[in-house]
Amino acid sequence: MGGGSWGTAFARLLAGLDHDVTLASRDPEQVRAINETGRNPRYLTQARLAGVVASTIDDAPIAAADLAVVAVPSSAFGAVVAALPGDCPVLSLTKGLDPATGARLSTLVRDRPVAVLSGPNMAEEVLGGLPGAAVVASADATLALELQEAINSSVFRVYVNDDVTGVELCAAAKNVIALSAGGVDGLGLGDNAKAALVTRGLAEMARLGEACGASSDTFSGLAGMGDLIVTCWHPSGRNRRAGELIARGATADEAIAQIGQVVEGLTTAPVLRELSRRLGIELPITEGVCSVLGGLPLTALLEGLMGRRPTAE
């Protein structure tokens, strides 16, 4: 469910492993075009979707499915999983938190097994068959192993993890750090500054995870450092690109319009800020991103971050 870039790429990945795949979208015109042309008319438009059948969400055979893969924006995730018929497990590909409550998205899945998949997985590279890796996390060890077996291949290596909290927090927080990394690119501050920011961003992510009971190892793994690196450096990374555009004078709305897709970091930043305040921990980069979105000039944020009292690493 979800006909965006990642949903499209993952549907093609599963079809290439001989699974029967229906790509469900809310847009009937998108569904029609995929079935008639074998291509998604809006995202990854050059990719051939061999073996993928498209359907509207209302008509998709979800009740008879072995697995429901959810790749919708975080703002829609809760409503989508609440309306699922049947009782098949859910695999979440969405990287964010629930905007309304700040809850991890897997906690919105009721009365059925749930797993999350995350890692350094740029959609166009996965679709192109370039090698990569991901982690599947679930409190249900049997489900995690079944998904590993179903998805793992010679070009897409899958690891398992039982730290669902850590994997989901990594997936959400790395998008906010990527916004700030894009700001560094937009201001032309260089790779020294960007590497320092990303490193301190990883420390910020780990601090959040520790406060929420996550494993520290998760933040040095694929869902943490791996996904953070690719999100902060890949030219087509939506969050990095949005930060770059905002640094060059665009508003958040103008950046979203130019990118043409959901930028999860813009939704997640204020949610993470509120979570950190409730937990009583410092997330200075996240606070800074929120301040910039509220109108603070990036140069003032830079001065504030660089002027913080020196401390031990």
Side-chain angles (χ1 to χ4, degrees):
M1 284 162 286
S5 295
W6 189 209
T8 299
F10 201 77
R12 180 65 191 89
L13 173 71
L14 293 177
L17 295 170
D18 295 326
H19 299 297
D20 295 325
V21 181
T22 299
L23 179 59
S25 168
R26 293 195 182 279
D27 183 355
E29 283 304 307
Q30 186 184 31
V31 169
R32 180 194 59 77
I34 292 172
N35 287 330
E36 290 182 359
T37 69
R39 301 178 190 273
N40 189 328
R42 296 177 60 190
Y43 306 104
L44 305 175
T45 56
Q46 299 306 308
R48 295 289 302 175
L49 301 180
V52 175
V53 176
S55 169
T56 61
I57 288 182
D58 290 340
D59 294 331
I62 300 169
D66 297 311
L67 179 71
V69 182
V70 183
V72 300
S74 60
S75 58
F77 188 94
V80 168
V81 298
L84 288 178
D87 59 1
C88 69
V90 166
L91 176 62
S92 170
L93 306 186
T94 304
K95 297 180 177 181
L97 299 173
D98 180 46
T101 66
R104 291 184 293 106
L105 297 179
S106 70
T107 66
L108 306 181
V109 180
R110 312 292 188 189
D111 302 321
R112 64 177 76 217
V114 59
V116 299
L117 182 142
S118 193
N121 305 138
M122 301 305 294
E124 60 268 41
E125 294 189 9
V126 172
L127 193 65
L130 297 177
V135 59
V136 168
S138 179
D140 185 330
T142 300
L143 174 61
L145 290 171
E146 288 175 349
L147 290 170
Q148 180 184 45
E149 182 177 356
I151 302 169
N152 187 75
S153 72
S154 60
V155 295
F156 196 75
R157 184 169 174 81
V158 179
Y159 294 79
V160 295
N161 192 329
D162 62 2
D163 182 18
V164 182
T165 298
V167 169
E168 286 192 288
L169 289 176
C170 284
K174 60 91 184 180
N175 285 329
V176 180
I177 306 304
L179 285 171
S180 61
V184 171
D185 290 340
L187 293 176
L189 300 179
D191 282 335
N192 286 343
K194 188 171 178 179
L197 179 105
V198 171
T199 303
R200 296 312 304 164
L202 182 60
E204 187 166 302
M205 290 164 56
R207 189 181 309 127
L208 173 67
E210 180 181 2
C212 293
S215 168
S216 60
D217 290 343
T218 301
F219 293 82
S220 59
L222 290 167
M225 181 171 64
D227 202 6
L228 180 65
I229 290 171
V230 76
T231 306
C232 290
W233 260 275
H234 199 283
S236 68
R238 282 175 273 173
N239 294 280
R240 188 212 63 80
R241 179 63 177 150
E244 182 178 27
L245 291 170
I246 291 169
R248 292 177 177 174
T251 66
D253 287 342
E254 289 169 346
I256 293 170
Q258 184 166 334
I259 293 167
Q261 299 185 64
V262 172
V263 180
E264 283 286 2
L266 295 173
T267 302
T268 302
V271 180
L272 275 183
R273 177 179 60 183
E274 292 308 309
L275 176 60
S276 70
R277 290 176 178 178
R278 290 200 305 270
L279 294 170
I281 60 172
E282 284 191 331
L283 300 183
I285 297 173
T286 300
E287 289 277 359
V289 168
C290 291
S291 296
V292 169
L293 295 177
L296 180 74
L298 260 173
T299 51
L301 170 60
L302 176 64
E303 292 172 1
L305 289 174
M306 294 299 289
R308 285 168 57 87
R309 183 177 60 83
T311 185
E313 186 177 42

